[in-house]
Amino acid sequence: VSAGGGMVTVRISGKKQILSLDVKEDIVDPDDIETMTDIIMAAVNEAIRKVEDAASEEMAKITGQMNLPGMPGMF
């Protein structure tokens, strides 16, 4: 996942562990650390959201086949 116009890139595993974090030199401004940290947090949070969405989609494929008539929302 990239954030800040590609200034920060995060790779995350399905176990929500950060595999890599790339921060472009242009974003490093000692007088504005807050913006850099905000962009890093946005990238990490988006990566986590994508992992959770992918896991939910996979679970829906499995549990969708298990729904029984007359039992909505059981699975």
mmCIF file of all heavy atoms in Angstrom, residues 5 8 13 15 32 36 46 54 59 64 71:
data_model
loop_
_atom_site.group_PDB
_atom_site.id
_atom_site.type_symbol
_atom_site.label_atom_id
_atom_site.label_comp_id
_atom_site.label_asym_id
_atom_site.label_seq_id
_atom_site.Cartn_x
_atom_site.Cartn_y
_atom_site.Cartn_z
ATOM 1 N N GLY A 5 0.956 10.100 -1.912
ATOM 2 C CA GLY A 5 1.397 10.199 -3.306
ATOM 3 C C GLY A 5 2.601 9.324 -3.601
ATOM 4 O O GLY A 5 3.441 9.672 -4.418
ATOM 5 N N VAL A 8 5.300 7.020 0.878
ATOM 6 C CA VAL A 8 5.455 5.941 1.852
ATOM 7 C C VAL A 8 4.805 4.692 1.279
ATOM 8 O O VAL A 8 3.675 4.740 0.801
ATOM 9 C CB VAL A 8 4.792 6.304 3.204
ATOM 10 C CG1 VAL A 8 4.822 5.118 4.161
ATOM 11 C CG2 VAL A 8 5.471 7.503 3.835
ATOM 12 N N SER A 13 1.971 -8.596 5.875
ATOM 13 C CA SER A 13 1.590 -9.994 5.672
ATOM 14 C C SER A 13 0.138 -10.205 6.075
ATOM 15 O O SER A 13 -0.488 -9.332 6.690
ATOM 16 C CB SER A 13 2.483 -10.911 6.510
ATOM 17 O OG SER A 13 2.135 -10.818 7.881
ATOM 18 N N LYS A 15 -0.766 -11.920 8.361
ATOM 19 C CA LYS A 15 -0.772 -11.952 9.823
ATOM 20 C C LYS A 15 -0.611 -10.555 10.413
ATOM 21 O O LYS A 15 -0.340 -10.394 11.598
ATOM 22 C CB LYS A 15 0.339 -12.864 10.334
ATOM 23 C CG LYS A 15 0.106 -14.316 9.972
ATOM 24 C CD LYS A 15 1.201 -15.194 10.513
ATOM 25 C CE LYS A 15 0.926 -16.641 10.151
ATOM 26 N NZ LYS A 15 1.953 -17.533 10.697
ATOM 27 N N ASP A 32 8.886 19.102 10.174
ATOM 28 C CA ASP A 32 7.495 18.664 10.036
ATOM 29 C C ASP A 32 7.395 17.146 10.183
ATOM 30 O O ASP A 32 6.924 16.445 9.299
ATOM 31 C CB ASP A 32 6.931 19.111 8.684
ATOM 32 C CG ASP A 32 5.429 18.914 8.607
ATOM 33 O OD1 ASP A 32 4.794 18.626 9.640
ATOM 34 O OD2 ASP A 32 4.883 19.032 7.491
ATOM 35 N N MET A 36 4.937 13.506 8.331
ATOM 36 C CA MET A 36 5.532 12.228 7.955
ATOM 37 C C MET A 36 4.906 11.090 8.758
ATOM 38 O O MET A 36 4.541 10.061 8.199
ATOM 39 C CB MET A 36 7.045 12.241 8.166
ATOM 40 C CG MET A 36 7.717 10.950 7.736
ATOM 41 S SD MET A 36 9.518 10.964 7.930
ATOM 42 C CE MET A 36 9.677 10.945 9.701
ATOM 43 N N GLU A 46 -4.106 1.498 6.195
ATOM 44 C CA GLU A 46 -4.702 1.046 4.933
ATOM 45 C C GLU A 46 -4.258 -0.380 4.625
ATOM 46 O O GLU A 46 -5.052 -1.204 4.164
ATOM 47 C CB GLU A 46 -4.316 1.986 3.789
ATOM 48 C CG GLU A 46 -4.845 1.569 2.433
ATOM 49 C CD GLU A 46 -6.356 1.616 2.299
ATOM 50 O OE1 GLU A 46 -7.048 2.166 3.180
ATOM 51 O OE2 GLU A 46 -6.871 1.075 1.302
ATOM 52 N N ALA A 54 -9.473 -8.767 2.785
ATOM 53 C CA ALA A 54 -9.169 -10.000 2.053
ATOM 54 C C ALA A 54 -9.541 -11.215 2.897
ATOM 55 O O ALA A 54 -10.111 -12.187 2.379
ATOM 56 C CB ALA A 54 -7.694 -10.045 1.666
ATOM 57 N N MET A 59 -13.310 -15.695 4.069
ATOM 58 C CA MET A 59 -14.198 -16.341 5.037
ATOM 59 C C MET A 59 -15.623 -16.394 4.493
ATOM 60 O O MET A 59 -16.328 -17.388 4.679
ATOM 61 C CB MET A 59 -14.160 -15.598 6.368
ATOM 62 C CG MET A 59 -14.921 -16.294 7.464
ATOM 63 S SD MET A 59 -14.337 -17.968 7.806
ATOM 64 C CE MET A 59 -12.867 -17.626 8.710
ATOM 65 N N GLY A 64 -20.303 -18.784 3.285
ATOM 66 C CA GLY A 64 -21.455 -18.575 2.403
ATOM 67 C C GLY A 64 -22.027 -19.893 1.919
ATOM 68 O O GLY A 64 -23.222 -20.026 1.693
ATOM 69 N N MET A 71 -32.135 -20.190 8.441
ATOM 70 C CA MET A 71 -31.185 -19.819 9.490
ATOM 71 C C MET A 71 -30.327 -18.654 9.027
ATOM 72 O O MET A 71 -29.112 -18.761 8.990
ATOM 73 C CB MET A 71 -30.325 -21.008 9.878
ATOM 74 C CG MET A 71 -31.100 -22.177 10.409
ATOM 75 S SD MET A 71 -30.023 -23.534 10.828
ATOM 76 C CE MET A 71 -29.918 -23.306 12.576
#
